Amino acid sequence: MENILKYYQFSAFKKDESGIFSGNEISYSILNDTHFLIFEKEKEIFNLYVTRYTFKKDIGINKPEIIETLVNNYDKSKPEHRIILKQYFQ
């Protein structure tokens, strides 16, 4: 998973304080000024979301304006999971 996070330039993990991600650790990658991909780390499980925030500094602190679950229990060995992630960076 570490290689995926580095390749797509995800941030370091930090504790969610917004309550949206149940206080789990989150890491984000910037798609544009207001849209971000977020990996939520829940023990050994990674969930992937696409979100919209007005400001990057709001991630993990305030609730997103929009949040959509893309993949529950992301598994890099599954092609369909890799395709979902890759499509956002094309």
Side-chain angles (χ1 to χ4, degrees):
M1 195 63 192
E2 185 177 325
N3 290 338
I4 300 260
L5 296 170
K6 283 182 183 179
Y7 184 82
Y8 289 108
Q9 300 177 343
F10 277 82
S11 68
F13 278 94
K14 67 178 186 175
K15 184 174 170 64
D16 169 55
E17 297 177 13
S18 70
I20 294 297
F21 303 101
S22 304
N24 293 318
E25 290 188 324
I26 58 171
S27 174
Y28 67 88
S29 187
I30 300 168
L31 298 174
N32 60 41
D33 289 343
T34 59
H35 290 85
F36 306 87
L37 287 182
I38 294 181
F39 267 115
E40 171 195 22
K41 183 178 178 184
E42 185 178 359
K43 297 182 184 175
E44 299 300 317
I45 295 172
F46 292 85
N47 300 311
L48 180 63
Y49 305 89
V50 64
T51 60
R52 177 185 164 100
Y53 288 90
T54 303
F55 304 104
K56 179 176 81 170
K57 65 180 179 159
D58 290 338
I59 298 171
I61 296 171
N62 297 315
K63 294 179 179 181
E65 297 171 14
I66 298 170
I67 183 169
E68 179 182 342
T69 303
L70 299 177
V71 179
N72 283 314
N73 197 9
Y74 184 91
D75 183 343
K76 66 181 181 181
S77 68
K78 292 185 177 180
E80 62 269 23
H81 288 188
R82 291 193 314 269
I83 289 169
I84 289 170
L85 179 59
K86 186 178 178 181
Q87 75 182 358
Y88 279 90
F89 292 101
Q90 293 181 359

